């Protein structure tokens, strides 16, 4: 603890978002600073590196207008903390926790470091409580459970926003209080308007952290961390079940790359920094449940795959950390299927734990298996059809072709919400119809 | 002696403290963060800190330990879960709550817990280094206390004693304790290495029969995400025919570890019937835990594995995944500003990997027993691309490659091991033992199986053009038999009874499939129609 305010006017260099100060005493790693430019609003910053008396500060709000003579930097003696209170619910903030909805800032109950702390693996509770999303492809075939992280892999032009909106509107838990924490990362105004409308009309409580495409890049890195600190607070201190929606992680990773380059770090694959796996893990791994503690953090990151390439570093590293993925397909979208989720590359790793007797229904596993293998077979037949034509195929193979069509039209496609019972009934009817024809 | 922090950049901290040695362990700052010296320079030493450095300030104190990064070895390791620096995670959970904050110094083993030690030598006996002095019961295992050096026993006492008390003394004054420290980056000594000759049965048919691994051998399991690496590693951990399993969760998911712990707690070792946890040690550094401790986790684990090997046990080390270790190495190297080689990995990636792989093997221990250390390591190549540096470097040293295939996984064919691209270099060494022991007729059955699968692969293209119905009868039979092989032999559902396949079951399934195939082929040749031949059920 320092007894006097530490303030310096020793800026020696400004480069991109970075500012270098000389002759600084006892700066702390990660310490929050306030940068006061000669004119205009103060900006927040964070100590990134210390070398003897030289300190490198990353400025959150952008470095435009700073100079070497008059700019003053105040050290706060604390690492960046997120203010916490149940009053965050119903509010929209910027990527640095400034109100974006015109209302005044709330008075916090407590603070938590924005980076969070890893959950001790020994303290983790295995996620196994079913979340009903209302989407048949999810509930029936790629079941989501409390504490899971399940990303949506999308392509540009695909309706990832509408899928996310559907989940926000319709996801339900069997019991407990439920809240949505939304982190908008590099959103366009159109996207922001869309999500805002969805959040406001949804019945659930929400807190939003929105970084627009024109907002400072560094805030794009901070926004998901603030969102997760709030989510952890609501979940583990207030006992709520929290669904965290992060959109879009491709923008987040691009911001990470931009900042890494300005720090002159060595680039890795496609220019993304070598530590991107660990950095993404520091976000995704904050999902989970804790033994003996109410509440849960479930995460749905949206990832737009550049060029629809699932091997691109952003979806690839995401897929290695998350517990499965929902993959949107351009072909299905073109055919008018909504949600255009391709079940073949999609997967929920925790599904086995969340379904079956006492959770959903006894025959859930078997039904999901049947749907899956029949559809896989149907898709294989489509390839064959392209080569030898429908006429050249056996009765049985034609049946599978028809199944694939019916599955996409009747099971995957849906307008309104379906309960899991309705989903499983639809699956059973579909399976029986085509198995009888065989 | 104390020094000061002079510079901080991420987890890389520069300290001013003369006389430090390379790889010495330090405590950094007021929070006593664990660190290791990675470079010595004129102005000071560069230290890799194993914990979050947020809040650390220049000028904070640095304390030497005089020792390299070490693990504490003794009874009490079995059944415990540690982090990459051998800090017990359940203990931390109980004492410090569900989140891992700065840990500082924590004892790995409970030094006050008493164990019943029985002397195996007497006062006045002359002992060689590594000879068994005393034993204690650890779970169902006999835990041996080995002599740290050669000499004459001055004093030795058995009884119920805690690890903190000496169990005896050699004439040169060396005290004998139930536990001791060993530097993780230094391989433990042994008598001599023997050639691997015994198969290691894992209970996975496709591994045991088609691509067997020898005790003391190494295998890698590369696969893109969703190919079931973790499930396969976990199945092997549950069912492998070994005495001790070291499971390293290296930079992977926390929820997976929670599942694993819960599941293991209720399971039995299928070979001995004892609780599975009694033979298992977990070293866990999930992806969000500090990167430097992820790098050290595999060394912590392999040192523990060698420790039990030296008592004459068969030890299996499973790491999931080695790519995450390599990623950590890359992060550390780039923070140190080293010149990168391929894809940003340091140039010493290959030599570090081969040093690590070479800690496996069958050995004659110092006390003349035989122990083995086998490694089965998963790899997570970016984009599922096996030409990347880590997979390539591992392929040069590993004895077996079990390649996990994304397209098989998408067909929900598990374990998704690609049978045309996987291989085992131990086939020849093991052939005789496999024939004598678990799999009579192994060589011919295996080659029949591989032939049918290879033939099916070559028929695939034609089938796509002319359809199944357009094929000749014999070819149609091959496709059907290959289908049966895939379904009944190659696939194993990890969530069913079939998750563990004892050798007798493995060989009998394959024998039945091949026998039926031959029978049908004979009938086809005799002119019976295809549909008639296929009607018959398996005998």
């Amino acid at each position: 603890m320092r007894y006097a305010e530490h303030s310096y006017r020793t800026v020696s260099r400004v480069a991109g978002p970075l500012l270098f100060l000389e002759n600084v005493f006892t700066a702390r790693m990660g310490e929050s600073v306030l940068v006061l430019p000669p004119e205009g609003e103060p900006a927040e910053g964070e100590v990134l590196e210390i070398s003897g008396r030289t300190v490198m500060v990353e400025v959150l709000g952008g470095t435009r207008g700073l100079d070497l003579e008059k700019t003053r930097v105040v050290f706060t003696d604390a690492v960046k903390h997120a203010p916490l209170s149940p009053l965050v619910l119903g509010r929209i903030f910027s990527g640095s926790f400034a109100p974006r909805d015109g209302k005044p800032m709330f008075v916090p109950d407590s603070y938590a470091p924005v980076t969070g702390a890893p959950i001790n693996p020994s303290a983790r509770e295995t996620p196994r409580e079913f979340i009903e999303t209302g989407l048949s492809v999810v509930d029936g075939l790629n079941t989501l459970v409390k504490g899971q992280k399940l990303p949506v892999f999308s392509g540009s032009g695909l309706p990832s926003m509408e899928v996310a909106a559907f989940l926000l509107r319709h996801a339900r838990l069997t019991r407990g209080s439920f809240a949505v924490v939304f982190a908008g990362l590099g959103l366009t105004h159109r996207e922001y308007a869309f999500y805002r409308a969805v959040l406001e009309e949804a019945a659930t409580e929400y807190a939003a952290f929105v970084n627009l495409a024109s907002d400072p890049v560094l805030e794009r890195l901070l926004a998901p961390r603030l969102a997760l600190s709030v989510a952890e607070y609501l979940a583990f201190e207030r006992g709520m079940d929290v669904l965290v929606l992060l959109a879009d992680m491709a923008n987040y990773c691009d911001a990470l790359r931009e900042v890494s380059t300005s720090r002159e770090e060595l680039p890795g694959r496609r220019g993304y920094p070598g530590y991107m796996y660990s950095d993404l893990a520091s976000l995704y791994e904050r999902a989970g449940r804790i033994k003996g503690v109410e509440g849960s953090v479930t995460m749905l990151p949206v990832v737009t795959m550049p060029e629809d390439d699932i091997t691109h570093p952003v979806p690839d590293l995401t897929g290695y950390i998350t517990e499965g993925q929902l993959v949107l397909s351009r072909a299905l979208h073109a055919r008018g299927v909504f949600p255009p989720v391709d079940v073949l590359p999609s997967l929920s790793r925790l599904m086995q734990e969340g379904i079956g007797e006492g959770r959903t229904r006894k025959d859930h596993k078997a039904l999901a298996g049947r749907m899956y293998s029949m559809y896989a077979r149907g898709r294989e037949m489509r390839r064959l059809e392209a080569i030898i034509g429908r006429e050249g195929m056996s009765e049985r193979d034609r049946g599978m072709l028809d199944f694939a069509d019916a599955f996409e039209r009747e099971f995957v496609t849906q307008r309104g919400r379906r309960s899991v019972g309705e989903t499983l009934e639809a699956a059973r009817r579909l399976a029986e119809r085509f198995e009888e024809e065989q | 002696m104390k020094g000061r922090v002079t510079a901080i950049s991420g987890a890389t901290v520069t300290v001013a403290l003369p006389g430090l040695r390379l790889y010495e362990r330090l405590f950094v700052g007021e929070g006593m963060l664990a660190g290791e010296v990675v470079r010595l320079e004129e102005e000071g030493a560069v230290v890799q800190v194993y914990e979050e450095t947020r809040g650390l300030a220049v000028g904070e104190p640095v304390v030497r330990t005089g020792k390299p990064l070490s693990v504490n070895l003794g009874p009490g390791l079995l059944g415990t879960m540690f982090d990459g620096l051998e800090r017990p995670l359940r203990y931390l959970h109980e004492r410090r709550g569900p989140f891992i904050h700065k840990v500082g110094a924590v004892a790995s083993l409970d030094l006050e817990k008493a164990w019943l030690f029985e002397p195996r030598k007497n006062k006045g006996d002359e002992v060689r280094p590594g000879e068994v002095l005393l034993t204690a019961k650890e779970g169902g295992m006999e835990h041996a206390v080995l002599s740290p050096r050669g000499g004459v026993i001055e004093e030795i006492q058995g009884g119920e004693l805690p690890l903190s008390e000496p169990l005896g003394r050699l004439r040169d004054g060396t005290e004998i304790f139930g536990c001791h420290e060993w530097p993780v980056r230094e391989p433990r000594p042994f008598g001599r290495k023997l050639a691997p000759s015994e198969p290691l049965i894992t209970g996975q048919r496709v591994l045991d029969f088609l691509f067997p691994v020898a005790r003391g051998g190494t295998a890698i399991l590369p696969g893109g995400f969703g190919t079931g690496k973790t499930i396969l590693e976990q199945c092997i951990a549950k069912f492998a025919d070994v005495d001790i399993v070291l499971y390293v969760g290296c930079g992977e998911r926390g929820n997976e570890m929670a599942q694993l712990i819960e599941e293991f707690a209720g399971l039995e070792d299928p070979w001995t019937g004892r609780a599975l946890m009694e033979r298992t040690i977990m070293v866990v550094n999930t992806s969000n835990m500090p990167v430097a401790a992820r790098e050290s986790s595999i060394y912590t684990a392999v040192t523990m594995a060698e420790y039990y090997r030296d008592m004459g046990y068969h030890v299996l080390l499973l790491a999931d995944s080695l790519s995450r270790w390599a990623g950590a190495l890359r992060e550390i190297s780039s923070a140190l500003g080293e010149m990168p080689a391929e894809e940003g990995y340091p140039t010493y990636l290959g030599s570090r990997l081969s040093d690590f792989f070479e800690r496996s093997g069958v050995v004659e221990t110092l006390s003349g027993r035989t122990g083995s250390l086998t490694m089965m390591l998963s790899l997570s190549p970016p984009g599922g691309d096996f030409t990347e540096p880590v997979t390539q470097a591992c392929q040069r040293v590993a004895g077996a490659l079990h390649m996990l295939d994304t397209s098989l996984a998408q067909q929900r064919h598990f374990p998704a091991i690609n049978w045309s691209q996987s291989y085992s270099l131990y086939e020849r060494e093991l052939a005789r033992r496999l024939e004598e022991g678990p799999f009579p007729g192994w060589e011919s059955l295996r080659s029949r199986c591989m032939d049918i699968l290879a033939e099916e692969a070559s028929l695939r293209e034609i089938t796509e053009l002319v359809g199944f119905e357009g094929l000749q009868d014999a070819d149609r039979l091959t496709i059907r038999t290959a289908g049966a092989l895939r379904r009944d032999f190659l696939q194993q559902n990890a969530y069913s009874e079939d998750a563990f396949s004892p050798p007798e079951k493995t060989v009998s399934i394959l024998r039945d499939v091949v026998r039926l195939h031959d029978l049908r082929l004979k009938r086809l040749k005799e002119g019976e129609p295809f549909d008639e031949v296929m009607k018959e059920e398996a005998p």
Side-chain angles (χ1 to χ4, degrees):
Chain A
M1 196 64 195
R2 293 177 202 136
Y3 297 105
E5 183 184 82
H6 278 216
S7 146
Y8 293 89
R9 256 190 208 168
T10 50
V11 181
S12 63
R13 196 153 73 90
V14 183
L18 304 179
L19 185 150
F20 295 80
L21 284 167
E22 304 296 331
N23 297 318
V24 179
F25 288 90
T26 63
R28 288 187 183 282
M29 253 323 252
E31 183 171 348
S32 284
V33 299
L34 212 57
V35 181
L36 307 166
E39 284 144 32
E41 290 293 302
E44 277 187 81
E46 189 183 303
V47 174
L48 202 65
E49 204 176 288
I50 312 168
S51 177
R53 296 275 187 80
T54 306
V55 171
M56 180 163 97
V57 169
E58 202 164 53
V59 185
L60 278 177
T63 42
R64 191 171 298 168
L66 298 187
D67 71 346
L68 302 185
E69 280 79 42
K70 293 199 189 117
T71 298
R72 200 155 63 88
V73 178
V74 182
F75 285 72
T76 62
D77 197 26
V79 297
K80 179 82 184 159
H81 280 71
L84 302 171
S85 158
L87 297 172
V88 293
L89 291 170
R91 300 291 308 270
I92 301 179
F93 303 92
S94 75
S96 55
F97 226 127
R100 208 182 249 290
D101 49 12
K103 292 182 226 164
M105 188 63 191
F106 59 86
V107 180
D109 285 355
S110 60
Y111 292 87
V114 295
T115 45
I119 302 177
N120 185 328
S122 176
R124 275 187 190 267
E125 179 83 75
T126 307
R128 55 162 58 100
E129 276 175 273
F130 169 67
I131 296 179
E132 194 178 77
T133 64
L135 275 181
S136 291
V137 266
V138 181
D139 294 347
L141 301 178
N142 294 289
T143 316
L144 179 70
V145 295
K146 268 203 232 171
Q148 186 175 12
K149 40 199 179 299
L150 188 66
V152 178
F153 285 179
S154 175
S156 48
L158 293 182
S160 61
M161 243 179 10
E162 285 75 11
V163 174
F166 190 102
L167 295 171
L168 286 187
R169 281 196 197 107
H170 298 299
R172 271 183 216 144
L173 291 153
T174 38
R175 59 188 167 79
S177 54
F178 183 55
V180 168
V181 173
F182 174 71
L185 309 169
L187 297 186
T188 62
H189 275 89
R190 195 183 66 83
E191 289 165 333
Y192 174 43
F194 176 86
Y195 279 121
R196 187 169 178 166
V198 172
L199 286 171
E200 280 169 0
E201 82 183 43
T204 41
E205 296 201 86
Y206 71 89
F209 296 86
V210 177
N211 167 270
L212 294 179
S214 53
D215 286 342
V217 168
L218 271 168
E219 287 186 6
R220 205 159 298 159
L221 304 183
L222 189 58
R225 294 185 163 81
L226 293 174
L228 284 161
S229 294
V230 167
E232 281 171 355
Y233 165 78
L234 293 174
F236 305 130
E237 311 259 325
R238 299 264 150 191
M240 299 180 90
D241 289 309
V242 184
L243 184 68
V244 180
L245 182 69
L246 306 171
D248 181 316
M249 287 307 288
N251 294 339
Y252 173 88
C253 292
D254 284 355
L256 194 69
R257 176 167 65 179
E258 190 178 330
V259 171
S260 161
T261 313
S262 70
R263 289 179 191 168
E264 297 181 355
E265 291 165 342
L266 284 172
R269 269 175 87 210
R270 300 233 187 160
Y272 293 100
Y275 53 77
M276 193 156 86
Y277 177 82
S278 301
D279 187 275
L280 286 174
S282 74
L283 299 179
Y284 295 146
E285 278 290 321
R286 290 173 80 174
R289 303 199 51 203
I290 293 174
K291 278 181 197 155
V293 177
E294 288 276 307
S296 61
V297 176
T298 309
M299 209 184 286
L300 288 171
V302 175
V303 179
T304 299
M305 302 181 281
E307 295 163 41
D308 293 358
D309 177 10
I310 201 166
T311 67
H312 183 278
V314 179
D316 189 52
L317 293 180
T318 299
Y320 272 124
I321 306 165
T322 54
E323 286 124 0
Q325 64 276 339
L326 298 172
V327 183
L328 303 190
S329 141
R330 206 167 284 282
L332 288 180
H333 181 56
R335 230 176 283 147
V337 174
F338 180 86
V341 176
D342 185 354
V343 298
L344 297 189
S346 297
L347 171 74
S348 165
R349 292 169 188 270
L350 302 179
M351 174 171 176
Q352 296 282 348
E353 297 281 343
I355 62 172
E357 202 163 12
R359 304 187 192 282
T360 54
R361 227 168 73 171
K362 195 177 166 191
D363 58 347
H364 191 156
K365 254 175 230 188
L367 268 175
R370 263 156 85 191
M371 286 289 105
Y372 191 88
S373 62
M374 286 167 82
Y375 181 63
R377 182 104 180 100
R379 285 274 292 267
E380 216 178 294
M381 289 305 119
R382 269 192 200 155
R383 276 199 314 144
L384 195 62
E385 189 192 16
I387 301 168
I388 61 173
R390 192 179 165 93
E391 309 317 316
M393 298 168 74
S394 69
E395 185 81 14
R396 202 180 127 132
D397 293 349
R398 280 204 294 266
M400 283 297 108
L401 264 183
D402 295 339
F403 173 83
D405 289 338
F407 174 80
E408 288 170 5
R409 237 179 14 250
E410 297 166 29
F411 185 79
V412 180
T413 303
Q414 64 184 90
R415 298 267 167 266
R417 184 177 203 286
R418 282 188 206 144
S419 72
V420 67
E422 286 164 348
T423 290
L424 294 176
E425 265 319 287
R428 193 183 56 78
R429 278 199 308 271
L430 204 55
E432 279 171 6
R433 198 165 99 212
F434 281 88
E435 276 164 1
E436 268 166 30
E437 279 177 22
Q438 293 298 303
Chain B
M1 195 151 66
K2 276 192 179 182
R4 300 265 160 217
V5 173
T6 59
I8 313 163
S9 169
T12 311
V13 172
T14 310
V15 303
L17 180 57
L20 279 175
R21 289 196 192 154
L22 202 59
Y23 297 116
E24 180 169 339
R25 193 173 182 181
L26 297 173
F27 289 110
V28 177
E30 270 135 26
M32 299 282 275
L33 309 178
E36 186 181 7
V37 178
V38 290
R39 187 187 286 168
L40 292 170
E41 283 170 359
E42 225 171 307
E43 315 80 83
V46 180
V47 176
Q48 179 65 43
V49 174
Y50 288 109
E51 293 175 63
E52 175 65 56
T53 52
R54 275 181 169 257
L56 186 67
V58 164
E60 285 192 35
V62 178
V63 184
R64 287 187 68 161
T65 64
K67 283 184 284 193
L69 182 66
S70 305
V71 285
N72 211 350
L73 302 168
L77 293 175
L78 293 178
T80 312
M81 178 166 66
F82 299 98
D83 77 351
L85 296 176
E86 208 204 15
R87 295 180 296 207
L89 287 168
R90 191 187 303 149
Y91 173 89
L92 286 178
H93 174 206
E94 282 160 6
R95 302 298 168 93
R96 315 246 183 116
F99 291 95
I100 300 180
H101 298 283
K102 285 161 190 160
V103 178
V106 172
S108 314
L109 294 171
D110 184 353
L111 297 180
E112 297 316 313
K113 183 172 172 186
W115 299 84
L116 183 60
F117 289 100
E118 287 176 46
R120 295 283 172 221
K121 294 277 170 197
N122 301 313
K123 186 177 170 178
D125 283 356
E126 192 169 338
V127 291
R128 285 172 290 117
E131 256 193 278
V132 180
L133 298 180
L134 303 103
T135 59
K137 275 258 174 286
E138 183 185 11
M141 317 272 306
E142 188 191 78
H143 191 110
V145 178
L146 308 177
S147 180
R149 56 177 67 202
V152 177
I153 298 174
E154 174 82 25
E155 210 186 307
I156 191 160
Q157 58 167 337
E160 199 142 316
L161 288 167
L163 296 178
S164 56
E165 273 186 42
L167 305 169
R169 195 158 27 93
L170 298 181
R171 194 159 286 170
D172 67 0
T174 308
E175 288 200 309
I176 301 156
F177 284 94
C179 66
H180 66 276
E181 288 195 343
W182 190 269
V184 296
R185 298 186 198 276
E186 191 180 312
R188 289 175 59 88
F190 49 83
R192 63 190 176 105
K193 266 203 180 158
L194 310 170
S197 62
E198 288 281 335
L200 187 145
I201 300 297
T202 62
Q204 301 297 307
R205 286 188 286 268
V206 56
L207 300 190
D208 293 348
F209 207 90
L210 298 186
F211 311 107
V213 178
R215 280 190 170 156
T218 54
I220 52 171
L221 301 95
F225 69 78
T227 49
K229 291 182 295 294
T230 303
I231 303 269
L232 183 57
E233 288 263 301
Q234 293 181 358
C235 276
I236 297 172
K238 283 184 226 165
F239 305 124
D241 181 17
V242 289
D243 301 313
I244 309 260
V245 172
L246 258 297
Y247 190 96
V248 194
C250 182
E252 290 283 320
R253 305 175 182 90
N255 280 336
E256 255 164 31
M257 298 318 302
Q259 249 173 316
L260 186 70
I261 299 159
E262 200 179 288
E263 210 189 329
F264 270 42
L267 286 176
E268 282 179 359
D269 174 356
W271 302 91
T272 60
R274 269 201 275 277
L276 196 60
M277 266 325 274
E278 274 186 22
R279 70 164 202 183
T280 311
I281 304 173
M282 292 187 193
V283 177
V284 174
N285 227 87
T286 56
S287 56
N288 56 338
M289 286 159 75
V291 166
R294 191 197 305 165
E295 195 274 334
S296 70
S297 65
I298 63 167
Y299 296 104
T300 295
V302 78
T303 309
M304 292 179 186
E306 286 176 341
Y307 174 63
Y308 283 97
R309 174 204 68 187
D310 292 346
M311 294 176 207
Y313 288 119
H314 296 294
V315 186
L316 172 63
L317 183 140
L318 296 157
D320 183 27
S321 104
L322 204 60
S323 297
R324 302 297 163 229
W325 167 81
L329 194 71
R330 174 168 68 181
E331 281 187 37
I332 294 168
S333 158
S334 111
L336 293 174
E338 291 172 343
M339 184 79 87
E342 233 181 318
E343 293 198 15
Y345 290 102
T347 45
Y348 47 78
L349 171 71
S351 59
R352 288 277 169 93
L353 273 173
S354 48
D355 284 351
F356 176 71
F357 275 72
E358 281 307 292
R359 291 177 77 167
S360 68
V362 186
V363 303
E364 188 184 291
T365 67
L366 292 174
S367 59
R369 300 179 180 192
T370 306
S372 72
L373 168 46
T374 314
M375 295 181 181
M376 297 183 85
L377 314 159
S378 79
L379 292 170
S380 328
D385 169 17
F386 297 122
T387 62
E388 57 91 38
V390 183
T391 312
Q392 287 303 313
C394 287
Q395 272 200 52
R396 282 200 286 277
V397 278
L401 170 75
H402 301 142
M403 187 186 279
L404 294 161
D405 191 315
T406 308
S407 75
L408 284 176
Q410 286 199 2
Q411 296 161 32
R412 301 295 199 257
H413 174 117
F414 290 111
I417 291 176
N418 182 313
W419 49 87
S420 63
Q421 302 206 35
S422 300
Y423 61 79
S424 164
L425 301 176
Y426 302 109
E427 270 170 42
R428 212 160 343 113
E429 282 107 317
L430 295 180
R432 200 170 52 85
R433 294 310 266 269
L434 285 169
E435 292 268 357
E436 286 172 3
F439 305 134
W442 176 73
E443 266 194 296
S444 65
L445 264 178
R446 180 181 186 277
S447 73
R448 285 302 308 278
C449 175
M450 293 304 277
D451 285 349
I452 293 169
L453 291 169
E455 215 175 311
E456 183 217 19
S458 65
L459 285 170
R460 283 230 130 192
E461 235 169 273
I462 309 169
T463 317
E464 292 216 335
L465 290 175
V466 300
F468 181 73
E469 309 301 327
L471 292 175
Q472 293 188 348
D473 283 352
D475 292 342
R476 285 205 273 178
L477 175 63
T478 302
I479 289 196
R480 286 291 179 83
T481 305
L485 280 176
R486 285 166 181 253
R487 196 180 54 242
D488 302 332
F489 183 72
L490 298 171
Q491 290 192 42
Q492 252 175 284
N493 184 345
Y495 300 101
S496 70
E497 283 281 294
D498 195 34
F500 169 61
S501 180
E504 310 80 60
K505 182 177 174 187
T506 300
V507 72
S508 94
I509 292 177
L510 187 58
R511 203 185 287 131
D512 288 350
V513 174
V514 170
R515 195 180 287 156
L516 186 65
H517 177 80
D518 290 345
L519 199 72
R520 284 171 167 170
L521 195 62
K522 191 163 149 259
R523 288 173 59 192
L524 283 178
K525 280 196 180 134
E526 284 164 2
E528 270 191 72
F530 182 75
D531 291 331
E532 203 56 39
V533 168
M534 295 311 289
K535 248 184 217 160
E536 205 92 2
E537 278 305 309

